[in-house]
Amino acid sequence: METQYFNAVKQPEAGTKLGGGVIRSGGLVAFPTETVYGLGANGLDGEAVNKIFEAKGRPNDNPLILHIAKKSDLKDLWKSVPERARLLMDEFWPGPLTMVYLKSSRVPEEVTGGLDTVAVRMPDNRTALALIRAAGVPIAAPSANLSGKPSPTTAEHVKADMNGKIDVIIDGGPCNIGVESTVVSLMGGTVTILRPGGITREMLEAVIGPVNLSPAVLAPLKQGEAAASPGMKYKHYAPDAQVIVGTGSLPDMAAKLIAEYDRREAEGLTCIIFATEETRCFYRGKRYVIIGERKNPLTLCESLFAQFRAQEGKADVILCEALPETDMGLAYMNRLLRSAGFKTI
């Protein structure tokens, strides 16, 4: 298959118009959002959705998110729209918030992994919204990468994984959040975070009151437990290198990472430390890269996946610092722990 490429700046209408036709005809289109690049298919066509799983090598029991361009589209995808959903979408849509509720009969089981619920969001990206409108259907889309690998935050990342496997790539430039959307379940009369992202727990609670946190956000699912959201069941976001997370106070954490660095290097492995502006002083004489600021976890989220990809073929082990699990630090730690397979020191 030859993958067609469009620049959303130079060809803003051509890419979305053609991409919309490709979606309607059952093909696959990679497109930018404010979070990461998505790999989209007609969300009402089970056969088209199956092509996503084939292209990514993604297990079919891992549910997808439906992307819509109008809030009113939600009523066709859910059995009903609870009042708490209306409050959240009025505050955060368009934006990086996905909500999970009982699906309507229009939604094929290929989208939901066999669950009776479906995840829906309205992205805050001009190109993504234009593509959805051009398609005229909800677009089912996970991240546009090979399953388990770091999510793509640029079109070049998408090309590296998907060129020749999908119909169209629309380049909208770098994503400005860098981690996938927050996913919340509205089941059971409560709001529960299944996957943290750009809408933080604190932001949600300011609108809706107390919000629960699924135990699977920072730990593996229990044996046999079903994944209610993307990003819960399998090891995700992992580069080729082994990722290890250091915990503890800053000096203690840095000492652990340096000791692990020295031990692995003595074994003949190449190591790099993902440091922050506040901790660079600890790692003099070691290979390290500054990936952001601890005081501003969004900067770490923005660069984590890109930095993982930048180290492909250059490092055997990537040593990373843990952050406090608050605000955007929760989203960062969710991605980091899953990329490490929950290996910490």
Side-chain angles (χ1 to χ4, degrees), residues 82-274:
E83 180 59 27
R84 57 192 179 278
R86 298 184 191 278
L87 291 171
L88 291 173
M89 77 171 102
D90 285 348
E91 182 70 23
F92 299 116
W93 279 9
L97 176 68
T98 296
M99 296 187 289
V100 176
Y101 197 61
L102 292 170
K103 77 179 187 71
S104 75
S105 58
R106 294 191 70 201
V107 179
E109 66 177 15
E110 287 86 351
V111 171
T112 67
L115 300 175
D116 60 359
T117 56
V118 65
V120 185
R121 91 174 186 102
M122 181 179 176
D124 187 14
N125 179 279
R126 183 180 304 173
T127 301
L129 294 173
L131 177 66
I132 299 166
R133 294 188 192 105
V137 293
I139 293 181
S143 54
N145 57 291
L146 293 174
S147 186
K149 295 299 183 181
S151 299
T153 55
T154 70
E156 289 302 315
H157 297 160
V158 179
K159 278 186 180 180
D161 284 7
M162 291 292 153
N163 193 41
K165 298 180 179 181
I166 63 176
D167 298 283
V168 176
I169 296 173
I170 302 176
D171 183 352
C175 301
N176 59 9
I177 293 179
V179 294
E180 297 82 354
S181 61
T182 301
V183 179
V184 298
S185 169
L186 304 181
M187 299 296 291
T190 62
V191 177
T192 301
I193 295 175
L194 304 180
R195 181 181 73 187
I199 303 300
T200 66
R201 186 180 193 176
E202 291 80 0
M203 293 164 68
L204 293 167
E205 290 185 334
V207 174
I208 207 76
V211 171
N212 299 324
L213 187 68
S214 168
V217 166
L218 296 170
L221 283 176
K222 296 177 182 177
Q223 186 70 29
E225 186 178 356
S229 161
M232 292 183 73
K233 188 169 185 180
Y234 299 92
K235 183 180 178 181
H236 277 338
Y237 324 116
D240 293 335
Q242 181 184 14
V243 178
I244 300 172
V245 182
T247 63
S249 64
L250 286 187
D252 180 52
M253 176 174 60
K256 290 176 183 175
L257 292 179
I258 290 169
E260 186 72 7
Y261 181 107
D262 290 341
R263 184 175 74 83
R264 295 302 187 97
E265 289 266 325
E267 294 173 352
L269 300 176
T270 301
C271 301
I272 190 166
I273 298 170
F274 279 12

